[in-house]
């Protein structure tokens, strides 16, 4: 039987290489549990390294995977800019593409061949704005990385706060890979809002920001700090440690999520990789991407691989999964993910740092698209 050839585009080098390793680990755990097959077919994963945000390079790699390698599907895609570029290629070539991470709103709307199993920034940010208002935090400022997802986060949080009658004193944008937050800390100290919401991509940036927050004595001002779960990605959380203690975040997956599906997933992950590497939201999305592809290819009228690309994409619509993160479905109209979003707090448990979930909003859709 001809193998199912899947092109995977992500970061395996540079400052975001941890994302590529998480993609690999999540896929490996799913494949190990399914005899290395998807819908009864052996699988070939063809990886292409596109470090960070590099849309032109992502476009070229997608084109090569389609034209030279004749892949059946594309997946991966950590940065939204790369996903937009690949979406154009996927549309022209009519190749189904399953997004494992890229989280800017509207990506699936730009290509009829794209499906998302990860999350969107507005989807996980809007519930945090509502929670902040419930806590009486009505005077806020924002600090976000100046790129598509950062702007999405800023817009979602600000919209949520102002719709609830709150006030936004300042919206500060910082260049990607900023290393010095001194000026921003000074500005926030002058404004002294009740809370600061920040969004920075997973990796070193949140740790640097949190260190400046601590070293500049910002916690002593009484300002509450809030963020999306990108800041406390489980993959990096042990390294961030006490810098993030008590930080309240909102996201769709925590390593500490209490469910049988997550216990199986985390247990298999630890058996394969040891306790030094634990699954983050990149890994669970990679796991779920293969689960979704398997379910779609196993659907009536698709099984056997004879169906066209449009029929395969249609098989994703309305799909439901029992994911390690909780119930997940693909919206039949938008092909975007619908899922639970959790409010969490960073705590220490059994000598490890975790994101402990304490509040849940079920069946959340992308808040950034009408």
């Amino acid at each position: 039987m001809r193998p199912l050839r899947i092109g995977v585009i992500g970061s395996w080098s540079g400052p975001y290489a941890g994302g590529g390793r998480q993609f690999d680990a999540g896929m490996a755990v799913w494949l190990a549990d399914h005899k290395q097959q998807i819908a009864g077919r052996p699988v070939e994963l063809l990886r292409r390294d596109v470090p960070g945000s590099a849309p032109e390079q992502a476009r070229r790699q997608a084109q090569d995977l389609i034209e030279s390698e004749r892949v059946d599907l594309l997946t991966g895609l950590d940065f939204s800019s790369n996903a937009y570029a690949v979406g154009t290629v996927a549309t022209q070539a009519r190749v189904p593409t399953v997004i494992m991470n890229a989280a800017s709103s509207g990506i699936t709307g730009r290509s009829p061949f794209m499906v998302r199993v990860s999350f969107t920034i507005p989807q996980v940010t809007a519930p945090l704005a509502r929670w902040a208002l419930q806590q009486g935090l009505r005077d806020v400022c924002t600090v976000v990385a100046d790129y598509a997802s950062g702007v999405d986060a800023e817009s979602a949080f600000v919209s949520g706060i102002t719709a609830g009658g709150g006030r936004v004193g300042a919206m500060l944008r910082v260049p990607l890979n900023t290393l010095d937050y001194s000026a921003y800390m000074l500005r926030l100290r002058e404004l002294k809002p009740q809370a600061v919401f920040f969004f920075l991509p997973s990796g070193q940036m949140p740790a640097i920001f949190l260190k400046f927050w601590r070293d500049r004595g910002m916690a002593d001002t009484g300002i509450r700090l809030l963020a999306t779960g990108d800041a406390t990605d489980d993959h990096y959380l042990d390294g961030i440690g006490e810098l993030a203690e008590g930080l309240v975040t909102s996201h769709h997956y925590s390593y500490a999520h209490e469910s049988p599906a997550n216990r199986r997933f985390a247990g298999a992950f630890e058996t394969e990789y040891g306790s030094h590497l634990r699954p983050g939201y990149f890994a669970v999305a990679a796991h779920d991407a293969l689960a979704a592809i398997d379910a779609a290819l196993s659907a009536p009228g698709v099984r056997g691989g004879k169906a066209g690309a449009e029929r395969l994409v249609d098989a994703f619509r309305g799909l439901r999964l029992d994911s390690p993160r909780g119930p997940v479905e693909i919206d039949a109209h938008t092909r975007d993910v619908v899922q639970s979003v959790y409010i969490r707090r960073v705590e220490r448990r059994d000598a490890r740092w975790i994101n402990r979930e304490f509040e849940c909003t079920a069946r959340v859709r992308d808040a950034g698209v009408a």
Side-chain angles (χ1 to χ4, degrees):
M1 181 179 290
R2 187 178 73 84
L4 181 69
R5 294 170 64 81
I6 302 177
V8 189
I9 297 172
S11 299
W12 280 275
S13 63
Y16 302 104
R21 291 193 294 271
Q22 286 276 309
F23 280 169
D24 281 346
M27 290 188 292
V29 167
W30 193 90
L31 287 169
D33 195 39
H34 293 81
K35 301 179 181 179
Q36 305 298 320
Q37 294 183 342
I38 290 179
R41 295 169 61 181
V43 181
E44 289 183 11
L45 299 174
L46 291 82
R47 295 167 179 80
R48 292 294 185 271
D49 184 22
V50 179
S53 177
E56 182 56 29
Q57 186 179 352
R59 186 194 64 77
R60 289 196 305 270
Q61 294 286 21
Q63 208 152 16
D64 180 67
L65 284 164
I66 292 168
E67 295 175 359
S68 301
E69 301 292 351
R70 303 293 181 185
V71 295
D72 299 291
L73 299 98
L74 293 171
T75 191
L77 299 170
D78 42 2
F79 278 79
S80 294
S81 55
N82 298 349
Y84 280 118
V86 169
T88 301
V89 177
T91 301
Q92 292 170 346
R94 308 171 77 81
V95 174
T97 301
V98 180
I99 299 169
M100 287 182 179
N101 184 69
S104 181
S105 283
I107 291 176
T108 60
R110 295 276 286 271
S111 170
F113 291 90
M114 283 192 140
V115 175
R116 176 155 40 196
V117 299
S118 52
F119 70 110
T120 77
I121 297 299
Q123 181 182 55
V124 299
T125 304
L128 184 62
R130 289 194 293 271
W131 182 86
L133 289 168
Q134 291 167 2
Q135 309 310 304
L137 303 174
R138 308 180 69 81
D139 181 12
V140 305
C141 291
T142 62
V143 180
V144 305
D146 192 7
Y147 75 122
S149 292
V151 174
D152 274 356
E154 176 190 81
S155 176
F157 192 79
V158 167
S159 295
I161 290 294
T162 55
R167 172 184 175 273
V168 180
M171 295 182 289
L172 308 178
R173 296 183 182 179
V174 305
L176 270 174
N177 300 320
T178 293
L179 299 177
D180 189 346
Y181 292 93
S182 301
Y184 304 102
M185 298 297 164
L186 181 60
R187 178 71 173 136
L188 293 171
R189 185 180 283 274
E190 291 171 347
L191 291 166
K192 200 175 181 183
Q194 290 176 292
V196 169
F197 166 77
F198 76 97
F199 175 88
L200 301 169
S202 293
Q204 65 176 353
M205 285 188 74
I208 294 170
F209 180 87
L210 289 168
K211 188 173 188 303
F212 269 89
W213 187 269
R214 182 195 65 186
D215 292 350
R216 295 301 187 274
M218 296 298 292
D220 298 333
T221 65
I223 301 173
R224 294 281 300 275
L225 196 57
L226 308 171
T228 64
D230 306 77
T232 59
D233 181 354
D234 289 292
H235 178 53
Y236 299 100
L237 189 53
D238 276 338
I240 297 175
E242 63 182 15
L243 288 173
E245 184 172 12
L247 178 63
V248 172
T249 64
S250 57
H251 228 222
H252 60 294
Y253 176 69
S254 167
Y255 163 80
H257 178 67
E258 292 290 346
S259 75
N262 191 49
R263 283 192 289 273
R264 289 193 299 271
F265 175 63
F269 203 98
E270 185 160 335
T271 297
E272 182 68 26
Y273 298 100
S275 59
H276 67 284
L277 182 68
R278 59 177 171 176
Y281 64 92
F282 273 66
V284 80
H287 171 279
D288 290 351
L290 296 195
I293 293 169
D294 177 74
L297 282 170
S298 300
V302 177
R303 189 167 183 82
K306 296 179 181 179
E310 290 86 352
R311 184 172 290 182
L312 177 55
V313 171
D314 284 343
F316 285 101
R317 298 178 187 271
L319 192 65
R320 298 192 176 199
L321 301 173
D322 180 21
S323 164
R325 64 183 114 164
V328 169
E329 61 186 276
I330 305 301
D331 185 278
H333 175 64
T334 65
R335 290 164 280 108
D336 222 330
V337 65
V338 182
Q339 61 191 326
S340 295
V341 175
Y342 308 91
I343 307 297
R344 312 99 52 84
R345 183 177 287 106
V346 176
E347 297 178 358
R348 195 168 177 83
R349 179 193 294 173
D350 299 329
R352 299 198 75 176
W353 295 100
I354 64 165
N355 291 295
R356 184 181 67 80
E357 299 166 349
F358 62 88
E359 191 170 303
C360 172
T361 303
R363 299 193 77 240
V364 182
R365 300 176 187 274
D366 179 18
V369 177

